[in-house]
Amino acid sequence: MRRPDQQTTTRPTPDPAPGTGADATADTAPDGAGEQGHPAGDLTTEAVLAPYLRGQAADFLRSLRLHHEHSSPAESGGHDAAAATRALRRAARRISGSLHTFRGALDPHWADQLRAELAWLSGVLAREHAYAGRLTRLVEALHQLSGPALPAARGARAAGEAAASDAQGRAALGVGAARAGALLERRLTLARTRSHSAALQALGSSRFHAVADAVALLASDVPLAPGTTGRTAEALLEPAERAEQRLLAAVAALPPADSEPYNEAQDAAWHQARLLLRLHRYAHEVVLGAAAPALASCGHALDLHRDAVEAAAAAAAAARTPRIAPATAYALGVLHADQRHEVEGARAVFRETWPYATALTAP
C-alpha cells in the first residue's frame, strides 16, 4: 500500500540514536520518514497521550481568552477575533480527534461525551467563517467568468471566431452576473449573520460553559481507562495504525480519475477521506510528536475540494430561487459548472500529492 521510500506510518523508527529526538529531527526528517517516536520501552501510555491532550486543552483555553478579549465592544480587531476562533476550533478538533482514536486508553464515557460536545462547538463556530469564504469565492469566480476576453492572435481566423464566440458568451454572462452576485450576497450574508448570532448565543450558553469547564479539567487531569496507567506507550500504536488503515482503504475506494465531475453522489466519499485524513494526522501528532509533512499538500487539496463542493451547491441553490430572470439563472448555472470543475481540479491535485502508492494511480 505504501512506497517503501515514502512512509508516514505511525510506528516510530526503532532504537533512535541519542540526540535525534523530537527537537533534533523535527525539521530534518524527510516527509515523516525516520521521525522520532514517543512510544518506547521506558514510556507509558499516560506519558505520551496525557501531555498532548493537556497541551491542546491549554491552547483551547488560551484561544478562548483571546476570543473574549477581542470580541468585547471596546475592541475593534475583527481579524484578531477571527484568528482566535480558528485557533479555538483547531484545538477542539485535535482534542476531539484524539478522544476518538485513542478512546480505548481513556475513560470511554467521558471521552464520548466531551468529543460530542467539542464537535458541536467546532461546527457552530465554523459556519460563519464558511459562509464568508463561500461568498468571497463565488463573487471572485463570477468576476473572472464575466470579465473581458483575451484578444486573439492576428491573422488567425479560427482563433478570431472563437474569440468572438467567447466574447458573446461573456456578454450574455455579464448581463446576469451582477444580479447573480447580488443574489448570492443577500443569501450568504443573511446566512452568515444568522451563524454569527448562533455562535454568540452558543458561546454564552450553559452548554458551552460546561464544555469549557471540562476542557479546563483536562488541562490538569486526563481521565484514563482502568489499567492504562502502567501500560507502555506501544499500546497507542494499534489504534493509530487502525486510523491509518481506515484512511488508506477510503482513499483506495475513491472514484477513478476519469469519473464524471458533475456526479455529486461521489462527493461523500471524498468528504469521508478528508475526515479520516484529519484523524490520521492527529494520531501521527500524538504518537510521533510531530505533524506528517507529506500529508500537508493532499490535506490542503481536500480542503479546497470541500470548499468548491459547497460553493457549487450554494450556486445551485441560488439558481432555484423563484422568479429570477433567465440571465441570472444562466450566470448561476455557469458559476455552478465552474465550481464543479474546481472540484475536479482539487481531486487531481490530491491524486498528484498523495504520498502512498494506492489505487489512486491514474490510468
Side-chain angles (χ1 to χ4, degrees), residues 262-313:
Y262 295 100
N263 187 354
E264 297 179 359
Q266 297 177 354
D267 295 341
W270 288 89
H271 294 330
Q272 179 67 8
R274 176 176 174 271
L275 173 61
L276 293 175
L277 177 58
R278 268 190 173 174
L279 291 176
H280 171 56
R281 286 171 48 215
Y282 301 159
H284 195 285
E285 291 177 4
V286 172
V287 174
L288 295 181
L295 299 176
S297 296
C298 52
H300 180 62
L302 289 180
D303 289 340
L304 293 178
H305 176 274
R306 185 272 317 270
D307 293 343
V309 166
E310 294 179 347

Side-chain angles (χ1 to χ4, degrees), residues 148-168:
L150 294 176
R154 292 183 179 179
R157 175 174 298 184
E161 293 175 354
S165 176
D166 180 67
Q168 290 177 356

Side-chain angles (χ1 to χ4, degrees), residues 170-327:
R170 287 178 179 269
L173 179 60
V175 173
R179 291 182 178 180
L183 176 60
L184 288 169
E185 186 169 2
R186 288 196 302 271
R187 291 172 61 92
L188 294 177
T189 300
L190 177 60
R192 179 187 180 186
T193 301
R194 289 175 175 172
S195 298
H196 179 73
S197 300
L200 292 179
Q201 184 177 2
L203 290 174
S205 66
S206 58
R207 182 178 182 181
F208 169 75
H209 288 295
V211 175
D213 290 343
V215 175
L217 291 175
L218 175 62
S220 59
D221 179 36
V222 178
L224 299 174
T228 303
T229 305
R231 297 173 62 186
T232 64
E234 289 285 332
L236 296 176
L237 294 178
E238 183 179 351
E241 290 178 346
R242 282 200 303 267
E244 184 181 38
Q245 291 304 316
R246 285 194 296 268
L247 168 64
L248 294 176
V251 171
L254 289 173
D258 57 354
S259 59
E260 172 58 51
Y262 295 100
N263 187 354
E264 297 179 359
Q266 297 177 354
D267 295 341
W270 288 89
H271 294 330
Q272 179 67 8
R274 176 176 174 271
L275 173 61
L276 293 175
L277 177 58
R278 268 190 173 174
L279 291 176
H280 171 56
R281 286 171 48 215
Y282 301 159
H284 195 285
E285 291 177 4
V286 172
V287 174
L288 295 181
L295 299 176
S297 296
C298 52
H300 180 62
L302 289 180
D303 289 340
L304 293 178
H305 176 274
R306 185 272 317 270
D307 293 343
V309 166
E310 294 179 347
R320 292 191 292 269
T321 303
R323 297 183 298 277
I324 61 173

Side-chain angles (χ1 to χ4, degrees), residues 38 44-58 218-219 222:
H38 285 315
T44 64
T45 296
E46 182 179 11
V48 174
L49 182 57
Y52 180 84
L53 289 175
R54 286 197 294 264
Q56 295 301 326
L218 175 62
V222 178

Side-chain angles (χ1 to χ4, degrees), residues 46-90:
E46 182 179 11
V48 174
L49 182 57
Y52 180 84
L53 289 175
R54 286 197 294 264
Q56 295 301 326
D59 288 344
F60 181 97
L61 297 174
R62 187 181 308 110
S63 302
L64 179 59
R65 176 179 56 82
L66 292 174
H67 184 275
H68 286 325
E69 291 177 357
H70 296 300
S71 299
S72 62
E75 290 284 341
S76 59
H79 294 293
D80 293 334
T85 300
R86 287 193 297 270
L88 188 66
R89 290 175 49 224
R90 177 184 182 277

